[in-house]
Amino acid sequence: YKYKQTKDKSIRVFSYKILKDTLGFGKRLVIWVSGCPFRCDGCIVENLQDIKAGKEYKDFFEVVKPLLDKVDGITLSGGEPLFQANELLKFLNKLPKNLDKMLFTGFYKNELNDIQLKCFNMFDLVVEGRFEKEKMGNFLYRGSSNQVFSSPTGKYRDILDILYTLPSAGIEVEVRDNNFYFYGVPTKNSEIEEIKKRLISKGIKLL
């Protein structure tokens, strides 16, 4: 990849939604940011690779602040959250210190620059590493077996070994405004297509 992060003065967010257990423990506000330098083969959200996808926010914290009392934690995904590390750090610094924080990143810790590392170290649970299509499987919160768990704050340090033994948390499906949405980490390449076929068989039209 050509560069590690943007230099924008605002953060680009594709979407956000409250989910339960699908992308982190408990009821969580999941935020999908825009832009990713990795372009992994088999990426399940290619449209989020574009940094111009989604919406630009000058102060995204004010947007989600009313939701924070309704959740057990927050999860950052994408796209690549650390691609927007400058603005992400500002956002993280405004979050309540006791709010559980989880990160999905294609970077490994030893690849991070200083500001990315500052962001990384604020998370309680992190899934690190590029997605590798040929290593897909039935893993909790991991798309491929090469990806690793870490707990920068130490909160989950004692259970990291256990997390590797757990199966996928599954996928949540939503059909809204004639659009098909899925949330979670697929266990195989064909899983999303199989879900689409089932919806169509139930008489749901997918555009």
Side-chain angles (χ1 to χ4, degrees):
Y1 47 94
K2 293 181 180 179
Y3 45 91
K4 284 193 172 185
Q5 68 185 65
T6 66
K7 296 181 180 179
D8 292 341
K9 298 299 182 183
S10 57
I11 192 166
R12 282 270 184 179
V13 175
F14 189 80
S15 64
Y16 58 95
K17 184 177 178 65
I18 293 177
L19 299 173
K20 191 174 187 301
D21 294 324
T22 310
L23 290 168
F25 303 125
K27 192 176 180 183
R28 309 186 70 85
L29 173 62
V30 182
I31 299 167
W32 291 268
V33 301
S34 305
C36 181
F38 297 119
R39 305 293 196 269
C40 298
D41 182 29
C43 176
I44 57 173
V45 281
E46 287 187 5
N47 53 326
L48 269 67
Q49 294 175 0
D50 184 358
I51 189 61
K52 295 181 181 179
K55 186 176 178 180
E56 185 177 4
Y57 295 90
K58 293 293 184 184
D59 190 350
F60 187 63
F61 174 75
E62 289 301 319
V63 176
V64 299
K65 184 178 178 181
L67 301 176
L68 298 182
D69 289 338
K70 302 176 183 180
V71 297
D72 304 311
I74 190 167
T75 297
L76 271 293
S77 186
E80 170 53 62
L82 296 181
F83 191 43
Q84 300 190 63
N86 291 305
E87 293 304 308
L88 178 61
L89 184 60
K90 296 176 186 177
F91 173 72
L92 292 173
N93 280 326
K94 293 180 180 180
L95 293 175
K97 301 300 181 186
N98 62 342
L99 184 69
D100 191 86
K101 303 172 184 69
M102 182 176 179
L103 170 69
F104 287 88
T105 177
F107 288 103
Y108 289 100
K109 183 179 179 180
N110 63 4
E111 298 175 321
L112 303 179
N113 62 30
D114 288 345
I115 194 164
Q116 289 173 324
L117 191 58
K118 285 181 180 179
C119 294
F120 182 94
N121 286 334
M122 296 176 75
F123 287 93
D124 300 298
L125 184 63
V126 178
V127 177
E128 303 174 42
R130 259 76 89 199
F131 169 69
E132 296 184 21
K133 184 169 63 173
E134 66 278 7
K135 296 180 180 178
M136 287 184 79
N138 188 7
F139 312 121
L140 179 68
Y141 304 146
R142 294 183 301 146
S144 53
S145 61
N146 61 292
Q147 295 174 322
V148 297
F149 288 110
S150 60
S151 182
T153 66
K155 181 175 181 177
Y156 294 108
R157 185 183 300 130
D158 293 340
I159 68 165
L160 292 181
D161 287 344
I162 297 172
L163 298 184
Y164 286 103
T165 69
L166 299 177
S168 168
I171 289 178
E172 184 174 326
V173 177
E174 179 183 25
V175 178
R176 172 168 40 90
D177 299 328
N178 289 325
N179 289 313
F180 166 76
Y181 302 88
F182 73 89
Y183 308 102
V185 182
T187 60
K188 55 185 178 180
N189 285 324
S190 60
E191 191 165 13
I192 303 305
E193 289 304 316
E194 289 173 3
I195 292 173
K196 287 181 180 179
K197 288 177 182 178
R198 289 183 195 176
L199 291 172
I200 292 170
S201 71
K202 299 290 184 181
I204 297 173
K205 295 180 179 180
L206 303 178
L207 300 179

